[in-house]
């Protein structure tokens, strides 16, 4: 088809078409190069309650392949202060501006820790994002979650919470395999109950751009609460249909894509 068109063209028109096509490709390549040049290279991932950093493996692999420098915070969950300190410790190791990402309870952690000067964008993945003076336990009452109405949350004698392993798959990881959910249930990090009542002093999303991923089938945090958070913060928002609270494990491509969007649009 191309040859037929070319044969019917005048030499001057053919040259014009080729020049235009070459320019178009040049502009596209230049735009692509500019995006890569100006994107934020450092990504810091923060896990939520009743989990650890291993759940980020799928997202980590995609981002590293894309040329990002990715760090994963391992929060002790022994106190909110300890978790914020653990996050800031990793932020201090970055060699430039970064995107701070969190899942679940980790959203409260990055809301507090994200005021660090190195942070230029925040990504909330099925996460809480309280405002200053708020805590996630109280805000969660706006839109109660399925797990809050269940018997799945257990508490130890010394004040730490965990999800009943027998109910972990149902509430936390419905879109994962039995084997994956069982491993996560048995490797969960117990979270101090008082962490859910930790009050935010300064909300980072008030002064920095934020991106929110809503997990449409989340049973740990009500999806309507995630949507409400996003509207209040004027966040760039995507919703993943059918995704459980473990969306960061089950849908790494969608999660990584949102993080890359943040890295490309946040200002250094």
């Amino acid at each position: 088809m191309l040859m037929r068109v070319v044969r019917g063209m005048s030499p001057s028109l053919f040259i014009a078409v080729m020049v235009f096509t070459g320019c178009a490709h040049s502009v596209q390549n230049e735009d692509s190069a500019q995006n890569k040049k100006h994107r934020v290279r450092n990504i810091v991932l923060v896990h939520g309650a009743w989990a650890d950093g291993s759940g980020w493996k799928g997202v980590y692999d995609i981002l590293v392949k894309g040329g990002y420098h990715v760090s994963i915070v391992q929060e002790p969950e022994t106190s909110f202060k300890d978790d914020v300190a653990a996050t800031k410790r990793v932020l201090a190791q970055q060699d430039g501006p970064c995107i701070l990402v969190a899942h679940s309870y980790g959203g409260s952690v990055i809301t507090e820790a994200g005021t660090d000067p190195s942070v230029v964008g925040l990504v909330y993945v099925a996460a809480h994002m309280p405002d200053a003076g708020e805590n996630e336990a109280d805000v969660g009452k706006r839109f109660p979650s399925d797990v809050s109405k269940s018997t799945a949350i257990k508490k130890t004698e010394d004040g730490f919470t965990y999800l009943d392993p027998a109910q972990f798959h149902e509430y936390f990881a419905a879109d994962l395999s039995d084997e994956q959910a069982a491993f996560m249930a048995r490797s969960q990090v117990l979270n101090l109950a008082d962490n859910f009542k930790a009050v935010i002093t300064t909300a980072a999303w008030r002064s920095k751009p934020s991106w929110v991923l809503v997990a449409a089938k989340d049973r740990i945090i009500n999806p309507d609460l995630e949507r409400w958070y996003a509207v209040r913060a004027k966040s760039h928002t995507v919703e993943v249909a059918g995704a459980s609270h473990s969306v960061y494990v089950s849908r790494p491509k969608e999660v990584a894509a949102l993080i890359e969007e943040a890295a490309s649009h946040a200002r250094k």
Side-chain angles (χ1 to χ4, degrees):
M1 180 63 73
L2 178 60
M3 290 305 295
R4 289 177 184 172
V5 173
V6 170
R7 285 169 185 163
M9 284 184 182
S10 67
S12 58
L13 180 57
F14 173 74
I15 292 171
V17 169
M18 294 305 292
V19 169
F20 176 80
T21 303
C23 288
H25 282 300
S26 177
V27 169
Q28 288 176 351
N29 291 335
E30 185 176 339
D31 287 344
S32 178
Q34 287 296 319
N35 286 337
K36 286 185 177 181
K37 181 179 178 181
H38 294 294
R39 71 182 181 180
V40 177
R41 189 175 63 88
N42 298 311
I43 311 293
V44 175
L45 307 175
V46 181
H47 64 80
W50 311 320
D52 66 12
S54 64
W56 288 112
K57 183 63 165 61
V59 173
Y60 170 91
D61 288 343
I62 293 170
L63 293 175
V64 169
K65 187 176 181 180
Y68 294 93
H69 174 259
V70 186
S71 301
I72 300 173
V73 178
Q74 294 284 16
E75 303 145 272
E77 299 185 35
T78 48
S79 76
F80 185 70
K81 182 179 178 180
D82 289 345
D83 294 339
V84 171
T87 301
K88 288 188 173 182
R89 205 170 292 127
V90 174
L91 290 175
Q93 296 175 353
Q94 307 307 303
D95 62 0
C98 69
I99 300 297
L100 187 56
V101 184
H103 173 250
S104 194
Y105 154 76
S108 294
V109 175
I110 71 166
T111 294
E112 187 76 14
T115 56
D116 187 279
S118 67
V119 178
V120 294
L122 303 150
V123 180
Y124 293 83
V125 180
H128 284 288
M129 49 191 308
D131 202 351
E134 297 178 348
N135 66 73
E136 67 178 68
D138 288 342
V139 180
K141 293 174 184 177
R142 285 177 170 270
F143 301 95
S145 65
D146 288 347
V147 76
S148 69
K149 305 169 190 175
S150 75
T151 59
I153 301 175
K154 306 298 183 182
K155 193 174 183 179
T156 64
E157 291 183 359
D158 60 346
F160 282 77
T161 63
Y162 64 97
L163 278 185
D164 179 1
Q167 301 181 71
F168 191 96
H169 194 184
E170 176 184 359
Y171 287 102
F172 199 99
D175 55 355
L176 296 181
S177 68
D178 291 343
E179 292 76 16
Q180 282 180 298
F183 176 80
M184 291 177 68
R186 292 302 178 181
S187 64
Q188 62 178 298
V189 180
L190 277 64
N191 192 40
L192 186 69
D194 288 345
N195 289 349
F196 299 124
K197 297 179 181 179
V199 177
I200 302 299
T201 57
T202 303
W205 54 261
R206 282 288 182 186
S207 59
K208 300 181 181 184
S210 59
W211 285 257
V212 168
L213 185 145
V214 176
K217 293 294 183 181
D218 199 331
R219 303 192 69 190
I220 298 294
I221 301 176
N222 192 319
D224 285 335
L225 179 59
E226 295 171 19
R227 297 179 186 111
W228 180 82
Y229 278 139
V231 170
R232 179 173 71 168
K234 297 180 176 62
S235 306
H236 308 274
T237 309
V238 299
E239 185 159 333
V240 181
S244 77
H245 192 61
S246 289
V247 61
Y248 70 115
V249 181
S250 64
R251 307 292 183 86
K253 290 182 180 179
E254 288 90 334
V255 174
L258 185 62
I259 295 170
E260 290 187 277
E261 179 183 326
S264 296
H265 291 89
R267 295 182 179 180
K268 294 183 181 181

